[in-house]
Amino acid sequence: MTSLIQRSSGLVQRRTEASRTAAADNDRGSGDDDLEPRRRCSGEEQEEPDKGDSKETRLTLMEEVLLLGLKDREGYTSFWNDCISSGLRGCMLIELAIRGRLQLETCGMRRKSLLARKVICKSDAPTGDVLLDEALKHVKETQPPETVQSWIELLSGETWNPLKLHYQLRNVRERLAKNLVEKGVLTTEKQNFLLFDMTTHPLTNNNIKQRLIKRVQEAVLEKWVNDPHRMDKRLLALIFLAHSSDVLENAFSPLLDDQYDLAMKRVRQLLDLEPEGESTKTNSNELLWAVVAAFIK
């Protein structure tokens, strides 16, 4: 146990073990005990805190979905995948909701459906991620507010209104890939495709991707709990958004036939859930289920 050190007039005095224990007890008694009632009285929601890197590299939902979609050696996503763009925007909304930055507007006497409710900025505190902060800025400054479905389309640039094209987040896949390069997961190369050169990002740290794939596999196999509200929200969102982005198959392809069939059966159970009903249950995140509803409607 690290000793507490007090410096006075150049001399170092160390507290005894007993005084340290007493001081720690006093700190806990006067600090945490006072803080907890204030949290309860203010109705403050206990959102997932922004945790720093611990034993492994911490990835955002967008980075995890992109990593599942990238070909390891080639370093790019399938040219035929036209779902991942909107899927990544859905990841942004859920990531911001999990971090306590966004929420759905509250219901009045007459309950609205998830897709009819507007997205509200709950906190504009920076997240430390440029893409997330850019999306958060758009949501905060937009009046009147937009729905989840509208934000997925606006952030993807899939809108017919030329006055709203400035909402589009550009080069999202390339920017996410550069984030993964900075985190030591990918590297950067140039490949020639006969008519043009393209920047690619092959996998350089296979351990991180294998851990990600294992987490997804275990969630629907060994650690299956048959209740979405007992699952980690981030992992639940990852399964939904990986499926919507058409990259979930990549996580299940190494499985044996029996395991694959069981995994897909349980994913189908999740996809068959009714978001409206699930969002009303205890400890659910309404915006997460609104994004799910937007993709499986």
Side-chain angles (χ1 to χ4, degrees):
M1 179 177 181
T2 304
S3 298
L4 298 177
I5 301 175
Q6 294 181 320
R7 298 183 181 273
S8 176
S9 303
L11 298 178
V12 179
Q13 299 177 334
R14 297 181 182 273
R15 292 181 181 176
T16 63
E17 187 69 28
S19 64
R20 288 202 305 272
T21 304
D25 290 341
N26 289 336
D27 289 342
R28 285 195 295 269
S30 61
D32 295 346
D33 292 345
D34 290 342
L35 180 60
E36 198 60 35
R38 286 202 298 272
R39 286 176 177 168
R40 288 195 294 266
C41 292
S42 64
E44 180 182 338
E45 292 186 24
Q46 299 301 306
E47 296 286 352
E48 177 181 307
D50 292 343
K51 302 173 183 176
D53 289 349
S54 53
K55 294 183 179 179
E56 59 185 66
T57 303
R58 189 167 177 79
L59 307 181
T60 63
L61 272 176
M62 305 93 71
E63 291 166 351
E64 289 177 332
V65 168
L66 181 67
L67 189 55
L68 287 176
L70 281 175
K71 299 179 180 180
D72 293 356
R73 294 183 179 179
E74 293 85 348
Y76 53 83
T77 57
S78 171
F79 293 129
W80 311 110
N81 188 338
D82 57 356
C83 305
I84 195 170
S85 178
S86 57
L88 290 174
R89 273 62 176 190
C91 287
M92 293 178 192
L93 295 177
I94 293 179
E95 183 79 44
L96 287 168
I98 290 177
R99 296 190 185 201
R101 303 308 197 276
L102 298 181
Q103 65 181 19
L104 291 184
E105 64 178 343
T106 55
C107 292
M109 295 295 291
R110 184 176 180 182
R111 184 173 179 83
K112 294 181 180 179
S113 68
L114 291 173
L115 295 181
R117 293 164 65 184
K118 310 295 186 182
V119 179
I120 305 297
C121 178
K122 181 179 178 182
S123 168
D124 62 354
T127 65
D129 183 282
V130 176
L131 277 170
L132 290 178
D133 289 341
E134 193 174 335
L136 180 61
K137 183 174 181 289
H138 284 320
V139 175
K140 178 190 173 185
E141 296 178 351
T142 299
Q143 293 298 330
E146 300 280 356
T147 62
V148 162
Q149 182 70 60
S150 294
W151 274 120
I152 292 174
E153 294 172 357
L154 291 172
L155 296 175
S156 302
E158 298 175 358
T159 174
W160 294 103
N161 188 341
L163 299 178
K164 294 187 175 183
L165 286 176
H166 66 281
Y167 288 119
Q168 181 182 6
L169 299 182
R170 302 181 183 278
N171 303 317
V172 168
R173 271 177 270 189
E174 179 64 22
R175 292 162 73 181
L176 289 174
K178 287 182 178 179
N179 287 349
L180 290 170
V181 170
E182 292 177 0
K183 293 179 179 181
V185 183
L186 306 178
T187 187
T188 301
E189 294 181 357
K190 286 280 189 181
Q191 287 196 27
N192 181 271
F193 287 85
L194 297 180
L195 299 178
F196 60 93
D197 289 334
M198 186 175 83
T199 301
T200 60
H201 299 281
L203 186 68
T204 186
N205 188 333
N206 191 51
N207 291 335
I208 291 179
K209 183 165 185 177
Q210 289 306 311
R211 282 201 298 264
L212 173 62
I213 290 174
K214 185 178 180 181
R215 279 177 49 225
V216 175
Q217 292 175 351
E218 287 181 343
V220 292
L221 292 173
E222 294 93 339
K223 297 182 180 180
W224 174 247
V225 293
N226 200 29
D227 180 359
H229 299 283
R230 292 171 56 199
M231 294 178 66
D232 175 73
K233 288 185 177 66
R234 186 178 294 275
L235 185 54
L236 177 66
L238 175 60
I239 293 173
F240 275 121
L241 271 300
H243 178 272
S244 300
S245 302
D246 198 20
V247 300
L248 186 60
E249 176 78 16
N250 297 343
F252 293 156
S253 56
L255 295 173
L256 299 175
D257 289 346
D258 290 346
Q259 292 176 314
Y260 177 87
D261 291 341
L262 180 58
M264 293 306 298
K265 176 183 177 182
R266 288 172 173 170
V267 169
R268 177 51 57 188
Q269 287 180 235
L270 293 176
L271 295 173
D272 287 341
L273 293 172
E274 178 51 53
E276 293 288 347
E278 299 300 326
S279 68
T280 63
K281 295 182 180 179
T282 305
N283 200 33
S284 65
N285 186 304
E286 290 183 318
L287 199 146
L288 185 158
W289 288 106
V291 173
V292 171
F295 282 105
I296 66 175
K297 66 178 183 358

